[in-house]
Amino acid sequence: MKNSKITRKITQGMYILTTHGGGCVVDAVSRVGGSEQPLISVAVAKSNHSNKLMQENQKFALSVLGLNADPDLIQTFGFKSSREIDKLADAQTHEVEGVQVIESALGYMVFEKVDTIENETHTLFIGKMVEGDIFDNEAEPMSYAYYQEHKEELTKATTSQGKTAWVCTVCGYVYYGDEVPDDYRCPLCGLGKEYFKKRED
């Protein structure tokens, strides 16, 4: 493959996916059916703990991130695992249809899961929208292209406790340690060690 970064040119937004027990940042979201309750698909990496949570729960929400999104939200939901922390504990949220949505988002959509499709690295979850609202009509949503252009400032990739920061060149996830293990998989995008670059601070 000559240059897999061409996928960054696909126009898509940035969202915080939430369900009971946690959530994560996602970008692979698409409308796949139109009606008063449209069908929306979201792809979640199988290596991500949120995939397990999505398999276990029937409802999930997508909160739409804006250009002024708090970097701490991206840090928490994008680069930490629900296996280790309660991501929703310190986030400003409120409950809609039994699911927590992010209050600082541009708006939200809540879905009832209706189908799943498996591939090698991701699960495509398809949901029927049961509720949704807009918090801010004027703010501009964050695109995946914007995230890629500004991910260093959004992800605050810095060394921690004397450890080396290794940054995934595809999604921006930061691994801290002297070396990236040979069998390591990025918990956000599922790619291997060869995609991580040492960050010089």
Side-chain angles (χ1 to χ4, degrees):
M1 182 179 295
K2 289 184 179 179
N3 193 342
S4 63
K5 292 181 180 178
I6 185 61
T7 59
R8 297 178 183 178
K9 303 302 182 183
I10 298 173
T11 302
Q12 51 199 22
M14 299 294 292
Y15 310 83
I16 292 181
L17 167 71
T18 49
T19 190
H20 181 68
C24 63
V25 173
V26 294
D27 59 86
V29 173
S30 180
R31 181 167 175 160
V32 295
S35 67
E36 289 186 3
Q37 292 182 295
L39 295 177
I40 304 291
S41 69
V42 54
V44 183
K46 291 183 178 180
S47 58
N48 194 318
H49 185 62
S50 293
N51 188 295
K52 180 177 183 292
L53 296 176
M54 288 286 286
Q55 300 281 3
E56 295 172 347
N57 293 299
Q58 193 59 29
K59 285 187 177 179
F60 64 93
L62 292 169
S63 297
V64 183
L65 291 176
L67 294 182
N68 62 345
D70 184 349
D72 287 339
L73 274 176
I74 297 174
Q75 274 282 307
T76 298
F77 285 90
F79 307 122
K80 297 180 182 179
S81 174
S82 297
R83 295 185 186 94
E84 301 167 357
I85 67 165
D86 180 358
K87 295 184 181 183
L88 295 166
D90 295 324
Q92 297 297 311
T93 66
H94 67 264
E95 186 176 301
V96 179
E97 294 286 330
V99 185
Q100 299 299 315
V101 300
I102 306 298
E103 291 183 354
S104 61
L106 305 192
Y108 68 87
M109 298 164 277
V110 178
F111 303 92
E112 181 179 342
K113 187 173 64 181
V114 297
D115 202 1
T116 60
I117 300 172
E118 302 289 342
N119 66 31
E120 184 179 351
T121 61
H122 288 68
T123 304
L124 193 66
F125 296 95
I126 300 174
K128 177 176 68 176
M129 193 167 80
V130 295
E131 186 58 85
D133 200 3
I134 299 172
F135 296 143
D136 189 343
N137 267 310
E138 304 301 321
E140 186 176 349
M142 182 186 296
S143 69
Y144 181 67
Y146 179 92
Y147 169 78
Q148 287 295 335
E149 291 171 8
H150 298 85
K151 67 182 179 184
E152 286 197 13
E153 60 193 82
L154 290 169
T155 59
K156 300 179 181 177
T158 58
T159 55
S160 174
Q161 299 178 352
K163 295 181 179 180
T164 302
W166 299 84
V167 184
C168 177
T169 56
V170 174
C171 72
Y173 180 82
V174 183
Y175 173 84
Y176 293 105
D178 294 333
E179 294 288 343
V180 180
D182 290 339
D183 60 350
Y184 187 76
R185 290 283 176 182
C186 176
L188 187 60
C189 68
L191 295 176
K193 173 183 178 178
E194 64 271 21
Y195 288 90
F196 281 78
K197 181 180 178 181
K198 186 177 181 179
R199 171 72 182 271
E200 303 293 347
D201 291 311

